[in-house]
Amino acid sequence: EAQVTQNPRYLITVTGKKLTVTCSQNMNHEYMSWYRQDPGLGLRQIYYSMNVEVTDKGDVPEGYKVSRKEKRNFPLILESPSPNQTSLYFCASTPRVGATYEQYFGPGTRLTVT
Amino acid sequence: QKEVEQNSGPLSVPEGAIASLNCTYSDRGSQSFFWYRQYSGKSPELIMFIYSNGDKEDGRFTAQLNKASQYVSLLIRDSQPSDSATYLCAVERGGYNKLIFGAGTRLAVHP
């Protein structure tokens, strides 16, 4: 089954404790991205990757890091989480640039930072 | 002004009626437009995309695009309670698959 998986699905942590949210897709997609979703603000792109070792900032990259060492994986790293990073996070993948009509979202990770 | 604006709702319609969801965008150079459906606690699911002015129909869904007026709409015919969800409008900006999302309109279809 074609899918994007994220782990963990739910996470409660404390300010300053480094965490990683994993994202993996099994569709051999080139393009992957991370979004956060906050009430009244919609989804906002954090980082994206057009292929292995190619990443770039989205609209709200502050406080986040990413890496793309393998095509299937695109982890989101919060080096020192703060309460304003409490949000619902989605990973997404598309086959390639220009194929946004085939974007698949992961199930989401609800993060709470206290 | 937000790049993509939607009325937050809720939009309440009776079962069997037509639900009309609207979205305006500010970047006149936008070329691609998408409608996603998101059930509470779930991930967004693409239901329609449109690139050209006019209407595009897929089953009970019709997307309408008017680039001159910078709006895109989604009509849902014969609305069902299972259509109750938040509908997100998204506009592709500048290539590289970059989508700008509206905050969404909550639709409630009541029996």
Side-chain angles (χ1 to χ4, degrees):
Chain A
E1 179 191 354
Q3 59 181 351
V4 179
T5 57
Q6 294 179 228
N7 282 291
R9 296 288 314 280
Y10 303 90
L11 179 60
I12 300 174
T13 190
V14 296
T15 298
K17 186 176 180 182
K18 181 179 179 180
L19 66 92
T20 298
V21 183
T22 65
C23 172
S24 183
Q25 49 92 6
N26 63 0
M27 296 166 282
N28 201 36
H29 284 177
E30 292 181 353
Y31 186 99
M32 298 183 73
S33 59
W34 276 102
Y35 292 90
R36 60 178 289 174
Q37 186 174 31
D38 302 289
L41 295 177
L43 286 125
R44 294 176 293 167
Q45 191 182 58
I46 303 170
Y47 267 95
Y48 66 93
S49 170
M50 288 193 283
N51 215 322
V52 176
E53 303 291 1
V54 181
T55 63
D56 207 347
K57 297 177 181 178
D59 292 318
V60 287
E62 294 78 20
Y64 305 95
K65 284 176 57 176
V66 293
S67 68
R68 186 93 181 272
K69 293 183 170 53
E70 304 166 283
K71 200 171 189 178
R72 63 184 294 126
N73 296 324
F74 190 43
L76 179 69
I77 303 155
L78 285 74
E79 295 267 1
S80 182
S82 62
N84 65 12
Q85 292 178 299
T86 292
S87 188
L88 180 58
Y89 291 86
F90 289 103
C91 180
S93 74
T94 58
R96 61 198 172 279
V97 173
T100 319
Y101 53 86
E102 289 187 69
Q103 179 156 238
Y104 291 79
F105 280 87
T109 295
R110 187 167 291 282
L111 172 65
T112 302
V113 184
T114 61
Chain B
Q1 181 192 6
K2 291 180 180 178
E3 276 196 68
V4 180
E5 301 230 38
Q6 298 180 253
N7 188 317
S8 62
L11 173 66
S12 182
V13 301
E15 185 174 355
I18 296 175
S20 177
L21 303 154
N22 299 312
C23 170
T24 59
Y25 60 94
S26 61
D27 184 355
R28 192 170 282 280
S30 300
Q31 295 295 320
S32 307
F33 307 86
F34 304 83
W35 283 100
Y36 286 82
R37 177 176 62 199
Q38 187 176 26
Y39 293 112
S40 181
K42 302 295 186 183
S43 56
E45 171 193 11
L46 181 67
I47 53 173
M48 290 286 287
F49 61 91
I50 186 167
Y51 301 142
S52 305
N53 273 332
D55 295 359
K56 179 182 178 182
E57 187 174 318
D58 184 2
R60 295 187 297 113
F61 299 99
T62 299
Q64 299 175 316
L65 174 61
N66 184 322
K67 290 187 178 180
S69 301
Q70 294 176 246
Y71 82 78
V72 56
S73 61
L74 179 70
L75 301 179
I76 306 175
R77 288 182 299 281
D78 189 24
S79 295
Q80 301 297 310
S82 59
D83 294 325
S84 298
T86 296
Y87 289 80
L88 306 173
C89 172
V91 175
E92 190 163 6
R93 181 232 281 167
Y96 300 116
N97 291 13
K98 186 173 184 63
L99 291 182
I100 308 300
F101 284 83
T105 298
R106 190 155 62 89
L107 173 67
V109 181
H110 53 88

